[in-house]
Amino acid sequence: MPKIALPVTRYYGSKRKLIERIWREIEAQRLEFDSVLDVFGGTGIFSYFAKVKGKSVIYNDIFAFNYNIGKKLIQQTTNELTIEEALGLLNRRPGIEYRDTIAANFEGIYFTQEENEQIDIFIQNANMLENENQKASAYYILFQSCIIKRPYNLFHRNNLNMRVNYNGGGFGNKTTWEHTFETLFTRFIAELDKFTFDNGRENIAVNFSALNCPSRADLLYVDPPYFSTSRSHTTYHAKYHFLEGLANYTEIENHINFEKLNREISINKSSEFENPRAFLLQLEQLINTHQNSIIVVSYRNNGIPSIQDISELIQQCRPNNRVVTLDLGMYGYALNKSNSTNNEYLIIATNDPN
Ligand SMILES: C[S@@+](CC[C@H](N)C(=O)[O-])C[C@H]1O[C@@H](n2cnc3c(N)ncnc32)[C@H](O)[C@@H]1O
Protein backbone atom coordinates (compact mmCIF):
# COMPACT_ATOMS: atom_id res chain seq x y z
CA MET A 1 0.00 0.00 0.00
CA PRO A 2 1.44 3.45 -0.83
CA LYS A 3 2.14 5.60 2.19
CA ILE A 4 -0.71 7.98 3.00
CA ALA A 5 0.38 11.64 2.94
CA LEU A 6 -0.35 13.36 6.24
CA PRO A 7 -0.15 17.02 7.25
CA VAL A 8 3.05 17.80 9.16
CA THR A 9 2.39 19.15 12.63
CA ARG A 10 4.64 19.97 15.56
CA TYR A 11 2.27 19.15 18.33
CA TYR A 12 3.19 17.51 21.60
CA GLY A 13 2.02 13.88 21.64
CA SER A 14 1.07 13.76 17.94
CA LYS A 15 0.70 10.19 16.68
CA ARG A 16 1.80 11.10 13.17
CA LYS A 17 4.80 8.76 13.18
CA LEU A 18 2.80 5.90 14.68
CA ILE A 19 -0.52 6.11 12.94
CA GLU A 20 0.14 3.56 10.18
CA ARG A 21 1.20 1.06 12.84
CA ILE A 22 -1.78 1.83 15.08
CA TRP A 23 -4.18 1.39 12.19
CA ARG A 24 -2.54 -1.87 11.12
CA GLU A 25 -2.95 -3.28 14.64
CA ILE A 26 -6.62 -2.26 14.73
CA GLU A 27 -7.19 -3.91 11.34
CA ALA A 28 -5.37 -7.05 12.51
CA GLN A 29 -8.07 -7.53 15.17
CA ARG A 30 -10.66 -7.92 12.36
CA LEU A 31 -13.15 -5.66 14.12
CA GLU A 32 -16.21 -4.30 12.38
CA PHE A 33 -16.69 -0.57 12.69
CA ASP A 34 -17.96 2.16 10.45
CA SER A 35 -17.63 5.23 12.67
CA VAL A 36 -14.91 6.54 15.01
CA LEU A 37 -14.83 9.11 17.81
CA ASP A 38 -11.36 10.59 18.37
CA VAL A 39 -12.09 12.03 21.79
CA PHE A 40 -8.63 13.59 22.48
CA GLY A 41 -8.19 14.71 18.87
CA GLY A 42 -5.13 17.06 19.02
CA THR A 43 -3.74 17.46 15.49
CA GLY A 44 -6.46 15.16 14.20
CA ILE A 45 -4.02 12.61 12.79
CA PHE A 46 -6.08 9.60 13.90
CA SER A 47 -9.28 11.22 12.63
CA TYR A 48 -7.61 12.12 9.35
CA PHE A 49 -6.37 8.58 8.82
CA ALA A 50 -9.84 7.18 9.60
CA LYS A 51 -11.30 9.69 7.13
CA VAL A 52 -8.85 8.49 4.46
CA LYS A 53 -10.00 4.94 5.25
CA GLY A 54 -13.61 5.89 4.48
CA LYS A 55 -14.96 5.95 8.04
CA SER A 56 -17.51 8.41 9.38
CA VAL A 57 -15.44 10.47 11.82
CA ILE A 58 -16.13 12.59 14.88
CA TYR A 59 -13.17 14.66 16.04
CA ASN A 60 -13.24 16.10 19.58
CA ASP A 61 -10.82 18.18 21.67
CA ILE A 62 -11.30 20.30 24.77
CA PHE A 63 -9.59 23.32 23.17
CA ALA A 64 -11.17 25.65 20.65
CA PHE A 65 -7.91 26.05 18.71
CA ASN A 66 -7.74 22.29 18.18
CA TYR A 67 -11.45 22.10 17.40
CA ASN A 68 -10.75 24.53 14.57
CA ILE A 69 -8.05 22.18 13.24
CA GLY A 70 -10.59 19.33 13.37
CA LYS A 71 -13.16 21.46 11.61
CA LYS A 72 -10.69 22.29 8.85
CA LEU A 73 -9.14 18.87 8.22
CA ILE A 74 -11.97 16.50 9.19
CA GLN A 75 -15.34 18.24 8.86
CA GLN A 76 -14.64 20.49 5.90
CA THR A 77 -13.77 19.12 2.49
CA THR A 78 -12.08 22.06 0.75
CA ASN A 79 -9.97 25.16 1.36
CA GLU A 80 -11.66 28.31 0.06
CA LEU A 81 -9.04 30.82 1.28
CA THR A 82 -6.53 31.77 -1.44
CA ILE A 83 -2.99 32.82 -0.57
CA GLU A 84 -3.75 36.37 -1.78
CA GLU A 85 -6.75 36.55 0.57
CA ALA A 86 -4.70 35.07 3.43
CA LEU A 87 -1.92 37.64 3.02
CA GLY A 88 -4.55 40.39 2.71
CA LEU A 89 -5.69 39.55 6.25
CA LEU A 90 -2.39 40.96 7.54
CA ASN A 91 -3.40 44.47 6.40
CA ARG A 92 -5.48 46.98 8.31
CA ARG A 93 -8.81 47.68 6.65
CA PRO A 94 -9.81 51.31 6.37
CA GLY A 95 -12.53 52.47 8.76
CA ILE A 96 -11.92 49.67 11.30
CA GLU A 97 -10.65 50.37 14.79
CA TYR A 98 -8.42 47.46 15.77
CA ARG A 99 -7.62 46.23 19.26
CA ASP A 100 -3.96 45.72 20.18
CA THR A 101 -4.44 42.96 22.79
CA ILE A 102 -1.36 40.92 21.90
CA ALA A 103 0.99 43.85 21.27
CA ALA A 104 -0.12 45.57 24.49
CA ASN A 105 0.12 42.53 26.79
CA PHE A 106 2.71 40.16 25.36
CA GLU A 107 5.68 42.34 24.42
CA GLY A 108 8.93 40.36 24.77
CA ILE A 109 7.15 37.11 25.70
CA TYR A 110 6.52 34.87 22.66
CA PHE A 111 6.88 36.86 19.44
CA THR A 112 8.58 40.06 18.30
CA GLN A 113 6.55 43.23 18.61
CA GLU A 114 6.14 43.44 14.85
CA GLU A 115 4.77 39.88 14.85
CA ASN A 116 2.47 40.67 17.79
CA GLU A 117 0.98 43.53 15.78
CA GLN A 118 0.51 41.24 12.78
CA ILE A 119 -1.25 38.66 14.97
CA ASP A 120 -3.62 41.34 16.32
CA ILE A 121 -4.62 42.51 12.83
CA PHE A 122 -4.82 39.04 11.28
CA ILE A 123 -7.04 37.49 13.93
CA GLN A 124 -9.48 40.42 13.90
CA ASN A 125 -9.70 40.34 10.11
CA ALA A 126 -10.22 36.56 10.27
CA ASN A 127 -13.05 37.06 12.77
CA MET A 128 -14.75 39.38 10.27
CA LEU A 129 -14.82 36.71 7.54
CA GLU A 130 -18.39 35.55 6.94
CA ASN A 131 -17.41 32.40 5.08
CA GLU A 132 -16.86 29.68 7.74
CA ASN A 133 -14.59 27.70 5.44
CA GLN A 134 -12.29 30.69 4.93
CA LYS A 135 -12.35 31.52 8.62
CA ALA A 136 -11.28 27.98 9.61
CA SER A 137 -8.45 28.15 7.05
CA ALA A 138 -7.29 31.52 8.39
CA TYR A 139 -7.20 30.20 11.96
CA TYR A 140 -5.46 27.02 10.84
CA ILE A 141 -2.59 28.81 9.09
CA LEU A 142 -2.15 31.25 11.97
CA PHE A 143 -2.03 28.53 14.67
CA GLN A 144 0.37 26.32 12.70
CA SER A 145 2.64 29.31 11.98
CA CYS A 146 2.65 30.44 15.63
CA ILE A 147 3.64 26.91 16.75
CA ILE A 148 6.46 26.66 14.24
CA LYS A 149 7.96 30.01 15.28
CA ARG A 150 8.27 29.03 18.96
CA PRO A 151 11.33 27.45 20.63
CA TYR A 152 10.27 23.87 21.49
CA ASN A 153 6.99 24.68 19.65
CA LEU A 154 5.43 25.54 23.03
CA PHE A 155 4.09 28.49 25.05
CA HIS A 156 4.82 27.39 28.60
CA ARG A 157 7.79 29.78 28.95
CA ASN A 158 8.37 33.41 28.07
CA ASN A 159 11.49 32.54 26.11
CA LEU A 160 11.41 34.89 23.12
CA ASN A 161 14.99 35.75 24.18
CA MET A 162 16.11 32.25 23.31
CA ARG A 163 14.93 32.82 19.78
CA VAL A 164 16.21 36.35 19.18
CA ASN A 165 19.57 35.89 20.92
CA TYR A 166 20.29 32.50 19.40
CA ASN A 167 23.70 32.54 17.77
CA GLY A 168 24.17 29.06 16.36
CA GLY A 169 25.51 25.81 17.64
CA GLY A 170 23.84 23.15 19.72
CA PHE A 171 20.10 23.50 20.04
CA GLY A 172 17.78 25.46 17.86
CA ASN A 173 16.15 26.01 14.58
CA LYS A 174 16.63 29.71 14.11
CA THR A 175 15.83 29.62 10.40
CA THR A 176 12.40 28.13 11.04
CA TRP A 177 11.64 30.52 13.90
CA GLU A 178 12.53 33.51 11.77
CA HIS A 179 10.36 32.60 8.78
CA THR A 180 7.88 35.44 8.33
CA PHE A 181 4.17 34.90 8.72
CA GLU A 182 3.88 35.62 4.99
CA THR A 183 6.23 32.71 4.16
CA LEU A 184 4.56 30.33 6.59
CA PHE A 185 1.05 31.23 5.44
CA THR A 186 2.09 30.39 1.89
CA ARG A 187 3.30 27.00 3.05
CA PHE A 188 0.21 26.18 5.10
CA ILE A 189 -2.31 27.35 2.48
CA ALA A 190 -0.57 24.96 0.05
CA GLU A 191 -0.90 22.19 2.66
CA LEU A 192 -4.60 22.89 3.08
CA ASP A 193 -5.11 22.78 -0.68
CA LYS A 194 -3.38 19.41 -0.68
CA PHE A 195 -4.89 17.80 2.41
CA THR A 196 -8.55 18.86 2.52
CA PHE A 197 -10.74 16.25 0.82
CA ASP A 198 -14.19 14.67 0.82
CA ASN A 199 -14.49 10.98 1.72
CA GLY A 200 -18.19 10.96 0.88
CA ARG A 201 -19.16 10.49 4.54
CA GLU A 202 -20.51 12.80 7.19
CA ASN A 203 -17.60 13.89 9.41
CA ILE A 204 -17.82 16.43 12.20
CA ALA A 205 -15.64 18.23 14.73
CA VAL A 206 -16.91 18.93 18.24
CA ASN A 207 -15.47 20.78 21.23
CA PHE A 208 -16.14 19.18 24.62
CA SER A 209 -14.14 17.89 27.52
CA ALA A 210 -13.89 14.12 27.03
CA LEU A 211 -16.25 13.33 29.91
CA ASN A 212 -18.85 15.79 28.61
CA CYS A 213 -18.73 14.71 24.97
CA PRO A 214 -22.21 13.45 24.00
CA SER A 215 -21.08 11.86 20.68
CA ARG A 216 -20.98 8.10 20.21
CA ALA A 217 -19.32 5.91 17.56
CA ASP A 218 -18.53 2.25 16.83
CA LEU A 219 -14.91 2.81 17.87
CA LEU A 220 -13.65 5.21 20.55
CA TYR A 221 -9.99 6.24 20.24
CA VAL A 222 -8.50 7.48 23.51
CA ASP A 223 -5.14 9.27 23.34
CA PRO A 224 -5.06 11.20 26.64
CA PRO A 225 -2.34 13.37 28.21
CA TYR A 226 0.57 11.26 29.44
CA PHE A 227 2.28 11.56 32.84
CA SER A 228 5.91 10.54 32.80
CA THR A 229 7.44 9.17 35.98
CA SER A 230 10.68 11.00 35.20
CA ARG A 231 9.46 14.55 34.52
CA SER A 232 7.14 17.03 36.18
CA HIS A 233 3.87 17.35 34.28
CA THR A 234 3.07 20.34 32.08
CA THR A 235 -0.61 20.34 31.12
CA TYR A 236 -1.79 20.83 27.53
CA HIS A 237 -3.35 24.07 28.68
CA ALA A 238 0.03 25.32 29.96
CA LYS A 239 1.68 24.26 26.71
CA TYR A 240 -0.82 25.91 24.32
CA HIS A 241 -2.81 28.52 26.32
CA PHE A 242 -1.71 31.30 23.96
CA LEU A 243 -3.41 29.62 20.97
CA GLU A 244 -6.53 29.02 23.04
CA GLY A 245 -6.45 32.75 23.77
CA LEU A 246 -6.24 33.58 20.05
CA ALA A 247 -9.23 31.30 19.40
CA ASN A 248 -11.13 33.43 21.95
CA TYR A 249 -9.51 36.76 21.09
CA THR A 250 -12.02 39.18 22.62
CA GLU A 251 -11.84 37.27 25.95
CA ILE A 252 -8.05 37.38 26.35
CA GLU A 253 -7.79 40.55 28.42
CA ASN A 254 -10.15 39.20 31.09
CA HIS A 255 -8.07 36.04 31.52
CA ILE A 256 -4.39 37.00 31.60
CA ASN A 257 -2.54 35.84 34.71
CA PHE A 258 -0.12 38.71 35.32
CA GLU A 259 1.48 36.86 38.21
CA LYS A 260 3.02 34.37 35.84
CA LEU A 261 6.10 35.43 33.88
CA ASN A 262 4.63 33.98 30.71
CA ARG A 263 1.26 35.77 31.23
CA GLU A 264 -0.73 32.57 30.99
CA ILE A 265 -4.20 32.99 29.51
CA SER A 266 -6.56 30.95 31.69
CA ILE A 267 -9.33 30.32 29.13
CA ASN A 268 -10.56 26.68 29.19
CA LYS A 269 -8.09 25.59 31.85
CA SER A 270 -9.28 22.22 33.19
CA SER A 271 -7.86 19.45 35.34
CA GLU A 272 -9.87 16.69 33.66
CA PHE A 273 -7.38 13.98 32.57
CA GLU A 274 -4.54 16.28 33.64
CA ASN A 275 -4.15 14.97 37.19
CA PRO A 276 -2.42 11.58 37.61
CA ARG A 277 -4.34 10.81 40.82
CA ALA A 278 -7.76 11.18 39.18
CA PHE A 279 -6.76 9.70 35.83
CA LEU A 280 -7.83 6.05 36.27
CA LEU A 281 -11.18 7.01 37.74
CA GLN A 282 -11.84 9.38 34.86
CA LEU A 283 -10.76 6.77 32.32
CA GLU A 284 -13.16 4.28 33.88
CA GLN A 285 -15.96 6.83 33.66
CA LEU A 286 -15.15 7.51 30.01
CA ILE A 287 -15.08 3.82 29.04
CA ASN A 288 -18.29 3.11 30.91
CA THR A 289 -20.15 5.88 29.09
CA HIS A 290 -19.17 4.29 25.76
CA GLN A 291 -20.50 0.81 26.55
CA ASN A 292 -21.29 -0.05 22.95
CA SER A 293 -17.98 1.07 21.46
CA ILE A 294 -14.78 -0.77 20.71
CA ILE A 295 -12.15 1.00 22.85
CA VAL A 296 -8.62 1.75 21.62
CA VAL A 297 -6.28 3.45 24.10
CA SER A 298 -2.82 4.82 23.28
CA TYR A 299 -0.40 5.18 26.20
CA ARG A 300 3.29 4.77 27.03
CA ASN A 301 5.10 2.70 29.59
CA ASN A 302 7.07 4.46 32.32
CA GLY A 303 3.98 6.55 32.94
CA ILE A 304 1.50 7.08 35.74
CA PRO A 305 -0.65 5.03 35.73
CA SER A 306 1.23 2.05 34.31
CA ILE A 307 0.19 0.14 31.18
CA GLN A 308 -0.69 -2.77 33.41
CA ASP A 309 -3.03 -0.61 35.52
CA ILE A 310 -4.76 0.64 32.39
CA SER A 311 -5.09 -2.87 30.89
CA GLU A 312 -6.57 -4.20 34.13
CA LEU A 313 -9.03 -1.36 34.34
CA ILE A 314 -10.21 -1.94 30.78
CA GLN A 315 -10.56 -5.67 31.41
CA GLN A 316 -12.67 -4.88 34.47
CA CYS A 317 -14.87 -2.51 32.48
CA ARG A 318 -15.34 -5.14 29.73
CA PRO A 319 -15.32 -8.50 31.55
CA ASN A 320 -17.00 -10.29 28.65
CA ASN A 321 -14.79 -8.97 25.86
CA ARG A 322 -11.35 -9.78 24.51
CA VAL A 323 -8.80 -7.16 25.60
CA VAL A 324 -5.39 -7.04 23.92
CA THR A 325 -2.34 -5.06 24.98
CA LEU A 326 0.22 -4.39 22.26
CA ASP A 327 3.75 -3.06 22.53
CA LEU A 328 4.32 -0.87 19.47
CA GLY A 329 7.99 -0.19 20.19
CA MET A 330 9.44 3.26 20.25
CA TYR A 331 7.54 5.58 17.91
CA GLY A 332 7.42 2.81 15.36
CA TYR A 333 11.18 2.91 14.79
CA ALA A 334 13.34 -0.18 14.66
CA LEU A 335 14.14 -1.86 17.93
CA ASN A 336 17.04 -0.40 19.83
CA LYS A 337 18.44 -0.50 23.32
CA SER A 338 16.27 2.18 24.86
CA ASN A 339 13.26 0.54 23.26
CA SER A 340 12.58 -1.62 26.26
CA THR A 341 12.40 1.38 28.54
CA ASN A 342 10.22 3.86 26.67
CA ASN A 343 7.60 2.34 24.41
CA GLU A 344 4.22 3.18 22.94
CA TYR A 345 1.37 0.80 23.70
CA LEU A 346 -2.07 0.15 22.33
CA ILE A 347 -4.79 -1.42 24.46
CA ILE A 348 -7.84 -2.61 22.55
CA ALA A 349 -11.11 -3.73 24.10
CA THR A 350 -12.76 -5.57 21.22
CA ASN A 351 -16.46 -6.30 20.90
CA ASP A 352 -15.86 -10.09 20.63
CA PRO A 353 -16.34 -12.43 23.55
CA ASN A 354 -13.30 -13.54 25.52
C1 LIG B 1 -1.87 13.11 23.48
S1 LIG B 1 -2.74 14.47 22.81
C2 LIG B 1 -3.60 13.75 21.46
C3 LIG B 1 -2.75 13.72 20.23
C4 LIG B 1 -3.48 13.28 18.98
N1 LIG B 1 -3.85 11.88 19.01
C5 LIG B 1 -2.58 13.54 17.79
O1 LIG B 1 -2.11 12.61 17.13
O2 LIG B 1 -2.34 14.73 17.53
C6 LIG B 1 -4.01 14.78 23.97
C7 LIG B 1 -5.05 15.82 23.54
O3 LIG B 1 -6.08 15.84 24.51
C8 LIG B 1 -6.56 17.16 24.64
N2 LIG B 1 -7.18 17.19 25.98
C9 LIG B 1 -6.61 17.38 27.20
N3 LIG B 1 -7.52 17.23 28.17
C10 LIG B 1 -8.70 16.93 27.55
C11 LIG B 1 -10.01 16.65 28.03
N4 LIG B 1 -10.29 16.62 29.32
N5 LIG B 1 -10.97 16.38 27.13
C12 LIG B 1 -10.71 16.38 25.79
N6 LIG B 1 -9.48 16.66 25.29
C13 LIG B 1 -8.49 16.92 26.16
C14 LIG B 1 -5.36 18.04 24.46
O4 LIG B 1 -5.74 19.30 23.97
C15 LIG B 1 -4.54 17.24 23.43
O5 LIG B 1 -4.80 17.73 22.14
Side-chain angles (χ1 to χ4, degrees), residues 11 13-15 40-43 61-63 66 209-210 223-224 236 272:
Y11 189 69
S14 164
K15 292 294 175 291
F40 295 92
T43 61
D61 198 279
I62 196 170
F63 294 121
N66 275 333
S209 89
D223 185 16
Y236 272 88
E272 191 189 291

Side-chain angles (χ1 to χ4, degrees), residues 226-230 300-307 340-343:
Y226 164 80
F227 307 96
S228 162
T229 44
S230 58
R300 290 164 69 175
N301 63 343
N302 291 326
I304 308 165
S306 67
I307 292 295
S340 58
T341 60
N342 213 351
N343 287 7

